[in-house]
Amino acid sequence: MTNKRVAFILGGSGGIGKAVVEKLIEQDYAVAVHYAGNKTKADTLVETLVASGGKAISVGGDVADENQMISAFDVIEAHFGGVDVVINTAGIMKLSLITSLDMEDFDLIQRTNVRGTFVVSKHAALRVRKGGAIINFSTSVTRTNFPAYGAYVASKAAVESLTLILARELRGKDITVNTVAPGPTATPLFLSGKDDKTIESLANAVPLERLGQPSDIAETVAFLAGPARWVNGQIIFTNGGLA
């Protein structure tokens, strides 16, 4: 049990998720670091956080498997006494023109990004304590409409709609529900499969003329997780001004 505010970060062992974990630890949260497949990576992060005086545990599970997510919430509640903030950074991205996308890849993207967000949001809505927050993740490409992002953007557009509806369904619960939509951000997920020219072009498309860093996104998440009690049912484009 803990008197600290408790955050459950899905996909918390790498990329944006890891930056969010570290930011919330700085702000005196207790954290549950979720992993889907790489238990060692999550456990190593937790060990580092605990050694520095933080309160952290690792929790595994497939975000699209409802029973596994129920078990994950059970573990967190048993260890910390409850959960206040759920942040779902977990997701996959496979780039392909719509005409050449393998439909098995399409199904995998939708299972993780849409079903996974639905499952996590459903049980977050049932478990998060009064004064809490649910934060999902989309992408700025839902507005820029870059080629080859069709299946990924379709999944994230669904996440945006789900978030806006859930915010209204939780009327009277004092729980905010928002989506963060990053622009080009230097994570392994974003950089994978892109050559230097493509990365430079995307960085230059931003008025600030750089890629976002995971820490940039974590700042927005921390705001929505804590002080932003009047921000609800919104999509926050955290992208340096990408049009």
Side-chain angles (χ1 to χ4, degrees):
M1 301 293 178
T2 180
N3 293 325
K4 294 176 181 286
R5 197 163 165 86
V6 177
F8 181 19
I9 302 94
L10 287 296
S13 62
I16 290 171
K18 181 173 181 286
V20 169
V21 167
E22 292 170 344
K23 183 66 178 178
L24 294 183
I25 283 285
E26 285 179 13
Q27 297 188 348
D28 203 33
Y29 282 73
V31 299
V33 179
H34 164 265
Y35 63 90
N38 196 334
K39 184 178 188 299
T40 299
K41 189 175 181 181
D43 286 347
T44 299
L45 175 58
V46 166
E47 288 169 8
T48 301
L49 298 173
V50 171
S52 300
K55 289 189 177 295
I57 60 172
S58 62
V59 183
D62 175 357
V63 294
D65 186 310
E66 187 169 23
N67 289 330
Q68 289 185 30
M69 287 299 99
I70 290 171
S71 295
F73 277 99
D74 287 344
V75 168
I76 297 164
E77 289 186 351
H79 191 89
F80 288 132
V83 61
D84 300 288
V85 181
V86 175
I87 302 155
N88 189 9
T89 76
I92 61 172
M93 179 172 66
K94 292 177 180 287
L95 301 184
S96 170
L97 297 177
I98 292 170
T99 52
S100 56
L101 180 67
D102 186 301
M103 293 310 297
E104 289 187 4
D105 286 340
F106 178 87
D107 290 342
L108 180 62
I109 292 166
Q110 307 313 312
R111 182 182 186 278
T112 300
N113 296 356
V114 181
R115 180 186 168 94
T117 299
F118 194 99
V119 168
V120 171
S121 295
K122 173 184 176 180
H123 290 282
L126 294 169
R127 303 286 193 117
V128 166
R129 293 184 286 208
K130 184 176 180 179
I134 300 168
I135 303 165
N136 290 320
F137 266 73
S138 181
T139 171
S140 290
V141 189
T142 57
R143 301 299 184 272
T144 59
N145 299 311
F146 294 146
Y149 283 78
Y152 181 68
V153 165
S155 73
K156 292 303 187 179
V159 168
E160 291 181 7
S161 296
L162 166 65
T163 299
L164 300 183
I165 290 170
L166 183 59
R168 286 149 182 83
E169 291 183 350
L170 292 183
R171 172 182 289 273
K173 301 291 187 181
D174 193 22
I175 298 169
T176 61
V177 191
N178 293 289
T179 287
V180 176
T185 306
T187 65
L189 179 68
F190 171 79
L191 297 173
S192 177
K194 295 182 176 70
D195 59 26
D196 290 344
K197 183 178 180 180
T198 299
I199 293 169
E200 182 180 2
S201 175
L202 288 167
N204 287 334
V206 177
L208 296 179
E209 295 186 329
R210 66 173 177 87
L211 295 179
Q213 296 299 314
S215 58
D216 294 320
I217 313 305
E219 292 281 355
T220 299
V221 173
F223 175 64
L224 294 173
R229 300 311 302 164
W230 199 236
V231 181
N232 188 31
Q234 303 299 316
I235 303 161
I236 309 299
F237 289 89
T238 310
N239 61 21
L242 181 70

